[in-house]
Amino acid sequence: MKILVINSGSSSIKYQFFNTEKSEPLCRGIVERIGSGKSSLRHYKYKKRPFVSTVDAVDHNQAIRHIFGMLTCPELGVIGSYKEISAIGHRVVHGAELFSQPTLIDTKVIKAIEKFNDLAPLHNPPALLGIRACRRFAKGIAQVAVFDTAFHQTIPSYAYIYGIPYEFYSRYKIRRYGFHGTSHKFVAEQAARIMKRPRAKLKLVTCHLGNGCSITAIKNGRSMDTSMGLTPLEGLLMGTRCGDIDPAVVLYIMEKKDLSIKSADNLLNKESGMLGLSGISNDMRDIQRKARAGNKRSKLTLDIFVYRIKKYIGAYTASMDGLDAIVLTGGIGENSRLIRKRINKGLKNFLTKFNAKLLVIPTNEELMISREAAEVIKKRKK
Ligand code: ADP
């Protein structure tokens, strides 16, 4: 099957085109700075030199038109007509409680996703722009929404309900949803393959460590708990997000500094985490470099980063009553030898006690989305 994967953000659209028999995309690319008057397109065809060009993309419709133009371009494209596409898989961040599976998109589904815009104001609206544009340009081609939150819909209520008056859950659906679900699911499947054991018999803790970081307890192939919450702000220390914090701290700071809700949101999401602590950068490579050179706050930032991961691994091992493997993935998880070494060293006795492995597995959310979209199409045909 030929599957186009679209990841549509507010100012860029990334795409990858898969033949489901292979794990390498036939081509991939990105349209950036949509609507800025300075849009550009980068297109990479397997084993060919990259193609880079400025393009006119005032909105998502035009960006999608350029992407289809590249896919069907005689020299750099991979298909003759969009009609060869079996399905388009869209990354959608928030599916709330309604979507626990990849879902075939129709007008009703679009309306439902729209309803969750206030839960993911930065992510769901641009995903919908991408979906609508594809419906316009690839009429009749099946489209599938793959949700970041879906994998975590198996988390039990005692792990997803917050300790605030119950009405906030029943009326406003305030609860833990969790994110990076596609990545956690992908690496968990890979881990089972590598360990040559059935998914249904494994207790895993998967750590997605990128700019955003989250950690998930996966028992018997199902997400049992995860560190991100109603929004991606909760949990581990991240590039610019604070992660776990006493909620009273936020109220205290708002009062002391006379901060608006918007400024407080900015402080916690954009100015905190590794950036706020180190005062240097949100990039792990910079923090490591500075720590090596003796910078104290960078060293402290690394200590906090690793400590939280260890703490969650301990908590999730207890909640699953066992552990077979810890999986590291994402830019930091896959590439930082230092973080890997420190987790390994810090948990040496723990890993031995549980006879658990520490695995590094590259994530591939686009490949996972293409597989999920293909599954939906196969089921529909049956
Ligand atoms: P995103 O969440 O935006 O997809 P990535 O998964 O690409 O982000 O991860 C970005 C993070 O990975 C950055 O903090 C970056 O410093 C870190 N990273 C990438 N390569 C390395 C490396 N070789 N060593 C340490 N950190 C790395």
Side-chain angles (χ1 to χ4, degrees):
M1 258 190 241
K2 288 175 181 166
I3 310 281
L4 172 63
V5 175
I6 294 283
N7 184 349
S8 176
S10 57
S11 64
S12 72
I13 302 181
K14 292 188 201 139
Y15 62 95
Q16 293 204 13
F17 194 85
F18 290 92
N19 179 337
T20 47
E21 277 142 42
K22 299 195 179 105
S23 54
E24 277 290 328
L26 301 177
C27 70
R28 64 187 167 84
I30 182 168
V31 180
E32 283 177 292
R33 296 201 245 172
I34 298 168
S36 70
K38 287 188 245 158
S39 314
S40 63
L41 181 144
R42 272 182 286 149
H43 177 84
Y44 305 84
K45 183 173 170 179
Y46 190 58
K47 287 190 173 160
K48 288 253 173 163
R49 287 173 62 189
F51 168 82
V52 183
S53 160
T54 53
V55 288
D56 187 20
V58 298
D59 59 16
H60 284 61
N61 281 324
Q62 289 195 353
I64 288 287
R65 189 162 54 85
H66 287 300
I67 292 172
F68 280 102
M70 285 315 302
L71 294 178
T72 52
C73 157
E75 201 191 331
L76 293 162
V78 288
I79 45 175
S81 148
Y82 77 83
K83 292 192 175 132
E84 290 174 41
I85 302 173
S86 319
I88 303 174
H90 292 270
R91 177 185 178 213
V92 182
V93 166
H94 222 304
E97 286 187 330
L98 192 62
F99 297 108
S100 56
Q101 298 290 336
T103 304
L104 196 65
I105 297 173
D106 59 19
T107 316
K108 254 165 82 184
V109 169
I110 291 179
K111 286 230 167 79
I113 296 173
E114 213 160 35
K115 260 184 38 197
F116 308 136
N117 277 354
D118 64 337
L119 285 172
L122 299 179
H123 296 103
N124 272 20
L128 283 168
L129 290 176
I131 290 171
R132 288 199 166 106
C134 285
R135 272 161 72 92
R136 231 166 260 139
F137 283 103
K139 280 203 173 65
I141 302 297
Q143 302 204 48
V144 178
V146 180
F147 299 91
D148 272 21
T149 48
F151 181 56
H152 300 302
Q153 279 298 302
T154 47
I155 293 177
S157 54
Y158 54 77
Y160 72 66
I161 303 245
Y162 291 117
I164 51 178
Y166 191 78
E167 185 200 356
F168 288 101
Y169 170 61
S170 55
R171 268 188 79 174
Y172 302 107
K173 294 289 169 218
I174 292 175
R175 51 161 285 183
R176 176 182 311 288
Y177 288 102
F179 299 88
H180 291 144
T182 310
S183 174
H184 288 290
K185 187 175 177 189
F186 179 80
V187 295
E189 286 183 3
Q190 291 290 99
R193 223 165 276 152
I194 291 166
M195 295 169 79
K196 297 198 173 69
R197 288 178 55 187
R199 244 185 308 162
K201 289 200 172 145
L202 280 178
K203 291 172 181 169
L204 303 171
V205 175
T206 52
C207 314
H208 180 108
L209 310 175
N211 266 317
C213 300
S214 68
I215 183 161
T216 299
I218 303 175
K219 189 177 177 183
N220 306 339
R222 294 153 72 88
S223 172
M224 300 304 286
D225 201 354
T226 192
S227 59
M228 285 179 167
L230 173 75
T231 75
L233 189 54
E234 196 180 346
L236 299 174
L237 190 75
M238 309 180 215
T240 58
R241 297 187 198 123
C242 61
D244 292 338
I245 193 169
D246 176 352
V249 171
V250 183
L251 306 177
Y252 188 83
I253 294 175
M254 285 178 80
E255 190 164 42
K256 272 264 168 224
K257 292 267 195 179
D258 196 19
L259 289 190
S260 65
I261 293 174
K262 201 160 177 221
S263 305
D265 185 75
N266 209 49
L267 174 78
L268 301 169
N269 273 297
K270 305 241 171 84
E271 297 167 6
S272 296
M274 296 202 280
L275 174 66
L277 278 171
S278 68
I280 287 167
S281 168
N282 64 331
D283 194 294
M284 179 54 92
R285 286 165 290 202
D286 297 335
I287 309 287
Q288 289 184 183
R289 203 175 310 121
K290 287 283 179 183
R292 260 198 311 272
N295 181 281
K296 280 203 175 128
R297 266 169 55 190
S298 295
K299 281 187 183 167
L300 175 66
T301 304
L302 285 180
D303 289 345
I304 297 171
F305 186 85
V306 172
Y307 178 70
R308 282 216 195 155
I309 295 171
K310 278 170 51 183
K311 200 160 87 166
Y312 266 100
I313 291 171
Y316 286 168
T317 302
S319 75
M320 292 190 291
D321 194 18
L323 179 72
D324 296 303
I326 299 164
V327 181
L328 302 181
T329 194
I332 298 171
E334 291 166 30
N335 300 303
S336 172
R337 285 190 18 224
L338 178 75
I339 297 297
R340 179 162 72 237
K341 251 170 59 188
R342 289 192 56 175
I343 294 173
N344 204 5
K345 200 166 159 212
L347 292 173
K348 210 168 143 216
N349 291 331
F350 187 86
L351 287 166
T352 312
K353 207 169 186 164
F354 286 95
N355 191 21
K357 291 188 160 40
L358 179 66
L359 305 172
V360 174
I361 302 180
T363 194
N364 195 335
E365 285 161 285
E366 290 78 13
L367 177 62
M368 191 71 195
I369 292 172
S370 76
R371 286 180 182 164
E372 304 250 48
E375 277 304 306
V376 169
I377 301 306
K378 266 189 224 154
K379 274 190 203 144
R380 190 177 69 149
K381 281 186 181 154
K382 272 183 194 165

